[in-house]
Amino acid sequence: MASSAATAPWKQLLLNALESNSHLKHSSFLQLATVGSNGRPSNRTVVFRGFQESSDKIQIHTDRRSRKVEDLRQCPLAEICWYFADSWEQFRINGRVEMIDEANQDSLKLELREKAWHSCSTRSRLQYLGPSPGLPCLSEESTAEASLDPSIGPVASFCLLILDPEQVDYLNLKTNQRLAFMSKKSADEVKGWALEKINP
Amino acid sequence: MASSAATAPWKQLLLNALESNSHLKHSSFLQLATVGSNGRPSNRTVVFRGFQESSDKIQIHTDRRSRKVEDLRQCPLAEICWYFADSWEQFRINGRVEMIDEANQDSLKLELREKAWHSCSTRSRLQYLGPSPGLPCLSEESTAEASLDPSIGPVASFCLLILDPEQVDYLNLKTNQRLAFMSKKSADEVKGWALEKINP
């Protein structure tokens, strides 16, 4: 029942789901679970920002000051749960998250972060200039509209997350089919995938 | 900025969200994050089965053979992330989960489980008679329609989960308002709630 391929076999299923649910504004919203430093699970909605070029790695933008960044520093593992309301499909994607902020030493990664920043709307960018997310709201805090030169690069609080999938659990509630995809590295470190039909 | 009340102040917000999103078939679907025995986060879509009578405790049905039950046996903590697509509201509900299966010694709890079972549709009930969720699908396995006497009580694999909320993080993306609710027990063990406006 096992098979493997150089291109992640679940990626096409996910691209199809994105396509068939694209009329839903929230089809790019997914839930990202992490483990907090206190050992408690943590879960929030984030936006899918596409795959990293020619790969199966998933990009997410976040504020460096958010709790998920704190969580991921302690434990870089995460599980995405992504439910497509129109096609009744669920993807659970478990993997390791790399965080790319301005302190990153790798120029290629900083380039990815720069590219991610410029792909954001002005409105999204302005959020990174706001007060620290999750901290008490101080009414005295200036609510004046900040402005941002569209040509400048990412601000300090902008962080790119890249999730490298290791396991994917696909469930189709219309056909009642469930598939488990497991990544495995070959001797020459090339990622392949095995797939198995499992009970829903 | 703090206030407290005997009735959970976030519960009305949640009931309002359920009401204003009730035309969406999936408005009762939420994502439940747990921590696996391997320390990895785990995340899946489940169905909200109402509050436990006169309380703020959230009911969920599950198969005792599912991985979430295994997770919760090791670590009873969970976080719900519940996004309402039409009203753009998110509830993150963190708490402790109690599992009620047939081995439970408390007759009041077994009664709750019985009641939960009878609230299910026949189609939902039949799922609990299927093969173990998550295990490899054996094509030889009989796919004959099982039948179930509607008057009999819960089958062995039926498990009622009850999440007792300790922290609730509410975010409204239309008003850009975010509220943190923290439960606290008084000297006489009565649960109260403190609320704080926090940065989105």
Side-chain angles (χ1 to χ4, degrees), chain A residues 120-140:
Chain A
C120 295
S121 66
T122 309
R123 194 166 169 245
S124 293
R125 289 187 211 178
L126 284 173
Q127 285 181 336
Y128 294 94
L129 294 177
S132 270
L135 290 191
C137 198
L138 305 171
S139 45
E140 312 89 61

Side-chain angles (χ1 to χ4, degrees), chain B residues 122 126 129 144-150 152 155:
Chain B
T122 309
L126 284 173
L129 293 178
E145 282 292 302
S147 73
L148 199 56
D149 177 348
I152 68 153
V155 297

